[in-house]
């Protein structure tokens, strides 16, 4: 007991100091998009993530979007558990033979209007898995892709940036 | 009145006769048995209504039996129970036309005769005016229902169920017999009319003894925990129209006896009587629904749910007893109205549910919910009717369960007017128990309906299921309509019950009502079922209208059920009944004492190559393991010892006779 208390008292603060906000442009973009995005998706955007055969590097970065630093939800974006609730699919990895059919089904199950974001180099063009026997092809060979975010893996801000830029494009296209 | 009664009883008699004349040919036998039963029940329904309106009836047949002979009379309480029985009996007789078509040979005749004895004996129990008449018909009812339970006696579990029912019902009968003898001795008469006055003059000890014995006797017929063990066995084993009758109607005679005991025969007792009844009622309602929740056999689930509903009814009776003991007859009347209202409601929706379960059993050839599923597409009308029953029993608007449970809640909540701390505490426990019961009952019937009727069929039989015979659907339809009517227009029922309750408590019940609203406890709480119904209908219309006005998208798209992207979606991926109830099994592990067994058969070289996995998950009944099994063991041990007396030696029997004679002489001479 005493040792434990001692340890609690003596352990210094070990977390790092937060970085100063670097990508002010993301915030700017977000505020610009936010009000207009309401017209497109009724206030908030629901995202379903599909791992079509990724090494889970991209998943770590996508997971990081939910942490307090990146905090995806402040832009009204949420991860959901079913494509039935989703407006947007985040697809990672080269599409493997096993996952090609489920990916297609997931796309079909997502209600319109919807868009697909391919995350990472593998999703864009199969990356280092190009030509492997278990791989069908990039995401665009199975479902139509609207945005590609490059990187191996891409940074969380890059992913966010990709989603928000697509939204902006769609909003600009609105009458 | 007299002629109506004779004509109805005659109908049943003719039914028996007709069956006996046509034993050899099942079809005319079936039609005759059930038409006469239907006619007799309809006659008794009219008779019961006349009785509710205050028509009198008196009948004496002194020469038929020793003592005072057969003797019948009617008051509003018995008239009400006549109506309850008749409603169940009419529906069951109609349903039996189609249901008994599956039986062949002597079984049709056996079931026909038993039914035509069972129904009139229930009516006569309620009308009995002296102890001998009551006990005679009570026993006749028990025997007839025993034979009905044993209709499918080729199954071993049916025989076991019949045996347990036989033992339990006769243990109850023994209690009643002793209590009746005590009361008859005190009143010096077997006539019920002489009992109320005599009972008030009795010594405390025999009076308490009589009360406890009557409570056990009637409680075991009603299925109050811990005397409930025969219900979940006998009700599933019986043919479904008989299950509907037993669960919907026959166990209500236990309730009738209890009300009769505490409000007529014995009069107001000490307050601990009421506390005792209230506590057992609370236990029955909560434990009944908890056992129902983990049951995967559809008819057993319904039987346990009967235990729960009997608990709810008895909560009303217990509350009424306590109010009466504290001289609050208005509230006692309110609680009695709640109990009686729930009695008829339960008779209606439980009959409906058992009939629905019978239709499913008929079509899918199984009672096991794990082998059902997808029946809503194959038998849509039965599914709709079963859904009505489920919603009603879960006490959801607009059906009848809500009205009576609301009344029960109000009468329990109004207990703050009783100036005694302990009693208030008991009431608080009962309110909590009732609230818990309501929630669990809803979960239970989500399971019963969802697992049986929705999703994909889990077996070949369920896949080939067909809609049932029209008579069966008609019987269920009548009950479903009654569910709605009794739910939307409680004032119709309450106006009759008010008089019945007033007759028992001696004061007008504290319940105001008009055609839209019930107001309990001088405006303590009000409830308007028609407006609730209107809201239920109008709200979706309003929401839809507003959405359309706001320019909502009206396009729709049909797409397969989302199955996580799986290529094949079969019945094996479905939610199972066991999985549905597993969270409850874990939370209430003390009660269920679950046993889990996993047996993995793997390849001898490596345990990672699994051949088969056997997983067993069972729940046990603590009442059986801690109470009934030890009792049975002791009875067996004593019986084994007593066997020494039965030596088979004539000389020793002569000695016994001599000793008995000697004892008697000594006793008489004293």
């Amino acid at each position: 007991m005493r040792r434990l208390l001692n340890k609690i008292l003596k352990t210094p603060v070990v977390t790092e100091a937060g970085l100063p906000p670097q990508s002010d442009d993301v915030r700017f973009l977000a505020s610009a998009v936010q009000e207009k995005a309401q017209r497109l998706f009724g206030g908030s955007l629901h995202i379903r993530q599909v791992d079509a055969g990724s090494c889970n590097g991209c998943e770590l970065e996508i997971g990081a979007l939910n942490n307090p630093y990146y905090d995806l939800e402040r832009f009204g974006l949420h991860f959901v558990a079913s494509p039935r609730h989703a407006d947007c699919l985040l697809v990672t990895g080269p599409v493997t033979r096993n996952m090609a059919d489920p990916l297609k089904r997931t796309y079909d199950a997502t209600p319109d209007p919807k868009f697909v974001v391919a995350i990472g180099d593998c999703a864009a063009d199969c990356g280092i898995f190009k030509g492997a026997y278990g791989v069908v092809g990039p995401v665009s060979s199975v479902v139509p892709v609207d945005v590609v975010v490059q990187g191996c893996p891409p940074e969380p801000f890059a992913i966010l940036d990709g989603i928000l830029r697509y939204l902006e494009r769609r909003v600009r296209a609105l009458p | 009145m007299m002629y109506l009664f004779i004509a109805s009883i005659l109908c049943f008699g003719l039914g028996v006769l007709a069956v006996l004349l046509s034993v050899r040919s099942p079809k005319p036998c079936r039609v005759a048995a059930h038409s006469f039963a239907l006619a007799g029940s309809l006659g008794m329904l009219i008779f019961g209504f006349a009785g509710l309106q205050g028509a009198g009836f008196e009948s004496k047949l002194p020469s038929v039996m020793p003592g005072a002979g057969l003797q019948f009379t009617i008051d509003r309480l018995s008239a009400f129970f006549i109506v309850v029985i008749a409603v169940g009996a009419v529906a069951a007789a109609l349903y039996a036309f189609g249901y008994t078509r599956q039986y062949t040979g002597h079984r049709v005749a056996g079931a026909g005769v038993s039914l035509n004895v069972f129904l009139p004996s229930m009516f006569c129990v309620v009308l009995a005016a002296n102890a001998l008449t009551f006990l005679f018909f009570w026993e006749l009812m028990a025997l007839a229902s025993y034979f009905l339970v044993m209709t499918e006696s080729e199954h071993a579990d049916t025989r076991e169920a019949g045996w347990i029912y036989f033992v339990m019902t006769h243990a109850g009968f023994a209690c009643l017999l002793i209590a009746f003898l005590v009361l008859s001795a005190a009143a010096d008469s077997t006539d019920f009319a002489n009992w109320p006055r005599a009972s008030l003059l009795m010594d405390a000890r025999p009076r308490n003894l009589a009360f406890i014995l009557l409570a056990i006797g009637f409680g075991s017929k009603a299925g109050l925990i811990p005397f409930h063990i025969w219900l979940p066995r006998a009700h599933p084993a019986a043919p479904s129209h008989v299950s509907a009758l037993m669960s919907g109607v026959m166990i209500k005679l236990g309730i009738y006896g209890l009300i009769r005991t505490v409000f007529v025969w014995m009069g107001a007792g000490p307050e601990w009587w009421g506390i005792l009844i209230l506590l057992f009622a609370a236990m029955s309602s909560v434990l009944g629904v908890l056992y129902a929740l983990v049951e995967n056999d559809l008819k057993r689930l319904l039987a346990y749910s009967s235990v729960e509903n009997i608990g709810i009814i008895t909560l009303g009776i217990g509350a009424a007893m306590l109010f009466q003991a504290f001289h609050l007859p208005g509230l006692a009347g309110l609680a009695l109205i709640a109990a009686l209202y729930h009695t008829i409601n339960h008779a209606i929706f439980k009959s409906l549910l058992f009939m629905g379960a019978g239709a499913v059993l008929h079509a899918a050839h199984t009672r096991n919910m794990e082998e059902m599923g997808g029946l809503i597409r194959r038998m849509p009308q039965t599914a709709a009717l079963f859904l009505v029953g489920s919603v009603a029993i879960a006490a959801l608007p607009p059906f009848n369960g809500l009205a009576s449970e609301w009344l029960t809640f109000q009468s329990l909540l109004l207990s703050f007017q009783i100036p005694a701390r302990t009693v208030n505490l008991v009431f608080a426990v009962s309110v909590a128990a009732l609230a818990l019961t309501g929630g669990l009952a809803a979960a239970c019937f989500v399971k019963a309906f969802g697992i049986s009727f929705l999703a994909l069929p889990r077996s070949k039989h369920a896949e080939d299921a067909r809609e049932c015979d029209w008579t069966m659907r008609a019987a269920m339809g009548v009950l479903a309509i009654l569910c709605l009517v009794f739910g939307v227009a409680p004032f119709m029922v309450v106006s009759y019950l008010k008089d019945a309750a007033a007759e028992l408590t001696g004061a007008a019940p504290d319940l105001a009502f008009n055609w839209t609203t019930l107001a309990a406890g001088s405006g303590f709480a009000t409830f308007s079922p028609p407006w609730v119904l209107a809201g239920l209908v109008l709200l979706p219309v309003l929401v839809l209208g507003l959405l359309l006005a706001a320019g909502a998208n009206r396009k729709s798209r049909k797409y397969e059920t989302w199955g996580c992207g799986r290529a094949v979606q079969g019945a094996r991926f479905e939610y199972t009944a066991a999985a549905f109830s597993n969270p409850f099994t874990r939370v209430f592990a003390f009660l269920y004492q679950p046993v889990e067994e996993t047996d993995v058969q793997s390849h001898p070289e490596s345990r990672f190559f699994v051949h088969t996995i056997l997983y067993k998950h069972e729940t046990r009944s603590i009442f059986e393991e801690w109470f009934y099994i030890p009792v049975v063991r002791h009875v067996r041990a004593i019986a084994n010892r007593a066997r020494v007396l039965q030596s088979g030696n004539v000389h020793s029997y002569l000695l016994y006779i001599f000793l008995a004679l000697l004892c008697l002489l000594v006793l008489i001479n004293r």
Side-chain angles (χ1 to χ4, degrees):
Chain A
M1 187 68 187
R2 216 185 62 198
R3 256 170 57 200
L4 185 70
L5 287 175
N6 254 336
K7 197 162 193 176
I8 290 169
L9 286 176
K10 283 183 184 166
T11 308
V13 178
V14 292
T15 46
E16 289 173 34
L19 294 174
Q22 300 166 323
S23 323
D24 278 329
D25 52 333
V26 171
R27 267 192 214 172
F28 172 72
L29 191 67
S31 60
V33 165
Q34 215 161 24
E35 58 206 85
K36 291 179 191 164
Q38 286 211 330
R39 283 165 63 193
L40 197 58
F41 287 106
S44 65
L45 181 74
H46 288 188
I47 304 169
R48 167 76 186 165
Q49 201 260 325
V50 183
D51 177 347
S54 152
C55 68
N56 277 17
C58 295
E59 272 69 30
L60 285 174
E61 303 300 319
I62 291 172
L65 281 176
N66 264 337
N67 70 23
Y69 185 73
Y70 296 102
D71 195 12
L72 178 86
E73 302 229 350
R74 65 185 152 157
F75 304 123
L77 311 180
H78 308 278
F79 283 107
V80 291
S82 163
R84 284 268 194 254
H85 310 152
D87 309 301
C88 160
L89 296 178
L90 290 189
V91 189
T92 58
V95 181
T96 58
R97 286 182 196 283
N98 282 345
M99 280 305 288
D101 180 53
L103 177 60
K104 187 81 184 64
R105 281 170 189 272
T106 310
Y107 181 77
D108 288 341
T110 311
D112 286 322
K114 61 190 165 192
F115 66 99
V116 177
V117 185
I119 306 283
D121 287 346
C122 298
D125 57 1
C126 293
I128 59 166
F129 299 106
K130 195 181 284 175
Y133 73 93
V135 169
V136 174
V139 176
S140 56
S141 67
V142 181
V143 293
V145 171
D146 298 281
V147 189
V148 175
V149 180
Q150 293 277 356
C152 186
E155 273 202 11
F157 266 134
I159 298 170
L160 204 51
D161 188 49
I163 298 170
L164 293 177
R165 266 182 212 288
Y166 172 78
L167 280 180
E168 198 195 1
R169 206 165 75 211
R170 279 292 289 270
V171 169
R172 223 176 268 149
L174 285 177
Chain B
M1 277 305 264
M2 190 71 194
Y3 291 117
L4 195 56
F5 176 69
I6 293 173
S8 310
I9 298 298
L10 213 60
C11 271
F12 293 114
L14 284 175
V16 174
L17 205 67
V19 172
L20 292 179
L21 287 177
S22 59
V23 164
R24 299 221 169 268
S25 41
K27 184 151 194 242
C29 179
R30 192 164 53 92
V31 172
H34 299 127
S35 345
F36 280 116
L38 189 61
S41 312
L42 280 172
M44 289 310 283
L45 186 62
I46 301 167
F47 179 81
F49 264 115
L52 272 181
Q53 257 134 22
F57 165 74
E58 195 91 29
S59 161
K60 270 186 193 168
L61 302 163
S63 54
V64 181
M65 278 211 296
L70 289 185
Q71 204 176 345
F72 300 105
T73 182
I74 195 168
D75 61 2
R76 282 178 206 271
L77 181 67
S78 34
F80 172 75
F81 274 89
I82 290 277
V83 171
V84 172
I85 300 167
V87 167
V90 166
L94 186 58
Y95 180 88
F97 276 105
Y99 190 80
T100 49
R101 199 164 280 173
Q102 57 178 318
Y103 295 130
T104 50
H106 287 298
R107 224 181 281 175
V108 182
V113 169
S114 308
L115 187 69
N116 275 300
V117 174
F118 181 47
L119 294 178
S121 55
M122 283 200 289
F123 289 119
C124 291
V125 163
V126 177
L127 293 173
N130 68 27
L132 220 56
T133 315
F134 188 96
L135 290 173
F136 175 75
F137 285 109
W138 186 266
E139 181 60 14
L140 197 61
M141 170 181 91
L143 288 178
S145 56
Y146 167 73
F147 284 113
L148 283 169
V149 168
M150 292 292 272
T151 304
E152 293 172 25
S153 59
E154 71 275 13
H155 304 300
D157 50 346
T158 303
R159 289 196 296 273
E160 196 210 330
W163 171 241
I164 289 184
Y165 174 49
F166 199 73
V167 171
M168 285 305 288
T169 194
H170 282 91
F173 182 78
C175 292
L176 291 188
L177 188 62
I178 300 171
F180 276 25
L181 289 175
V182 171
L183 285 174
S184 302
D188 203 16
S189 155
T190 60
D191 198 336
F192 287 156
N194 298 333
W195 284 11
R197 221 181 19 223
S199 146
L200 292 176
L201 302 174
M202 275 168 84
D203 289 337
R205 205 173 283 169
R207 191 156 182 258
N208 289 339
L209 176 77
F211 167 75
I212 292 207
L213 286 172
L214 286 171
I216 292 175
F218 289 128
S220 72
K221 183 55 92 183
L224 270 184
I225 285 178
F227 311 111
H228 67 289
I229 59 157
W230 63 273
L231 267 103
R233 289 188 171 82
H235 292 191
S240 293
H241 62 288
V242 178
S243 321
L245 272 178
M246 286 175 72
S247 209
V249 176
M250 187 189 74
I251 59 173
K252 303 295 160 26
L253 295 190
I255 296 295
Y256 167 78
L258 202 57
I259 295 179
R260 189 57 86 186
T261 303
V262 294
F263 284 98
V264 183
W265 294 340
M266 313 272 297
E271 58 197 68
W272 65 264
W273 288 10
I275 293 177
L276 193 76
I277 294 289
L278 210 54
L279 286 179
F280 273 92
M283 186 165 81
S284 289
S285 56
V286 174
L287 296 189
V289 72
L290 280 175
Y291 281 123
L293 198 50
V294 295
E295 199 52 68
N296 295 337
D297 179 323
L298 189 53
K299 283 177 89 175
R300 275 178 75 104
L301 181 147
L302 293 177
Y304 273 124
S305 140
S306 290
V307 174
E308 167 226 330
N309 279 283
I310 285 293
I312 295 174
I313 295 169
T314 319
L315 277 178
I317 299 176
M321 288 166 74
L322 279 170
F323 286 132
Q324 194 77 344
F326 283 95
H327 308 290
L328 294 164
L331 291 182
L334 177 67
L336 261 184
I337 287 179
L340 292 175
Y341 198 171
H342 201 70
T343 302
I344 188 151
N345 283 347
H346 181 246
I348 294 169
F349 54 60
K350 189 47 64 69
S351 299
L352 171 59
L353 287 169
F354 261 113
M355 289 175 185
V360 169
L361 171 64
H362 202 60
H365 301 284
T366 179
R367 299 199 311 248
N368 186 354
M369 285 161 55
E370 307 281 26
E371 291 172 23
M372 296 176 189
L375 296 174
I376 193 165
R377 291 207 178 277
R378 286 156 186 85
M379 31 201 325
Q381 296 181 7
T382 306
L385 294 166
F386 194 89
L387 183 63
V388 169
S390 305
V391 173
I393 201 169
L396 295 175
F399 297 108
N400 55 358
L402 178 64
S404 50
E405 272 192 39
W406 181 84
L407 280 171
T408 312
F409 257 117
Q410 297 315 328
S411 54
L412 292 179
L413 289 173
L414 279 162
S415 65
F416 68 85
Q417 300 191 7
I418 291 178
R421 282 282 161 76
T422 0
V423 178
N424 289 342
L425 200 64
V426 173
F427 269 104
V429 170
S430 328
V431 170
L434 185 57
L436 182 62
T437 306
L440 292 172
C444 176
F445 280 89
V446 166
K447 172 180 166 175
F449 183 78
I451 303 287
S452 322
F453 287 94
L454 302 184
L456 298 173
R458 296 182 178 81
S459 68
K460 186 81 185 65
H461 281 309
E463 208 168 313
D464 297 338
R466 288 279 162 272
E467 188 62 273
C468 58
D469 196 82
W470 72 267
T471 51
M472 292 157 77
R473 275 176 283 153
M476 289 190 273
V478 169
L479 294 174
I481 291 169
L482 282 180
C483 277
L484 185 64
V485 171
F486 279 31
V488 177
F491 70 96
M492 289 188 338
V493 189
V494 168
S495 59
Y496 286 119
L497 292 181
K498 203 168 180 179
D499 297 336
E503 206 175 78
L504 293 173
T505 58
D510 201 352
L511 177 72
F513 60 93
N514 56 30
W515 69 275
T516 53
T517 315
L518 294 176
S522 322
F524 173 73
T526 53
F527 174 47
S528 314
W531 293 123
V532 172
L533 175 66
L536 277 177
V537 175
L538 287 180
L539 203 65
V541 174
L542 196 72
V543 169
L544 210 66
L546 282 179
L547 279 176
L548 285 179
N553 192 350
R554 292 177 68 176
K555 269 192 294 182
S556 68
R557 180 175 74 125
K558 280 223 159 87
Y559 189 68
E560 63 176 16
T561 309
W562 172 241
C564 296
R566 274 187 298 249
V568 184
Q569 287 194 58
R572 279 196 55 176
F573 297 111
E574 278 169 34
Y575 206 17
T576 62
F580 189 98
S581 46
N582 198 32
F584 299 98
T585 325
R586 280 166 194 267
V587 172
F588 298 98
F590 161 76
L591 199 65
Y592 300 121
Q593 305 275 317
V595 192
E596 272 187 53
E597 258 178 58
T598 321
D599 187 14
V600 183
Q601 299 281 329
S602 52
H603 196 273
E605 294 289 318
S606 163
R607 64 189 173 88
F608 294 109
F609 291 91
V610 175
H611 284 313
T612 55
I613 299 180
L614 196 77
Y615 176 72
K616 233 163 83 175
H617 185 102
E618 283 178 345
T619 54
R620 296 176 296 166
S621 159
I622 49 174
F623 291 100
E624 273 166 50
E625 294 205 352
W626 295 355
F627 180 67
Y628 284 100
I629 291 177
V631 165
V632 168
R633 204 168 46 227
H634 282 110
V635 169
R636 280 237 173 97
I638 293 168
N640 267 336
R641 295 244 178 86
R643 205 156 60 181
V644 179
L645 292 175
Q646 293 279 5
S647 59
N649 186 344
V650 180
H651 299 99
S652 52
Y653 289 137
L654 284 173
L655 180 69
Y656 299 154
I657 294 171
F658 176 67
L659 286 178
L661 205 62
L662 216 64
C663 290
L664 280 177
L665 285 173
V666 169
L667 279 177
I668 287 167
N669 269 347
R670 243 184 354 161

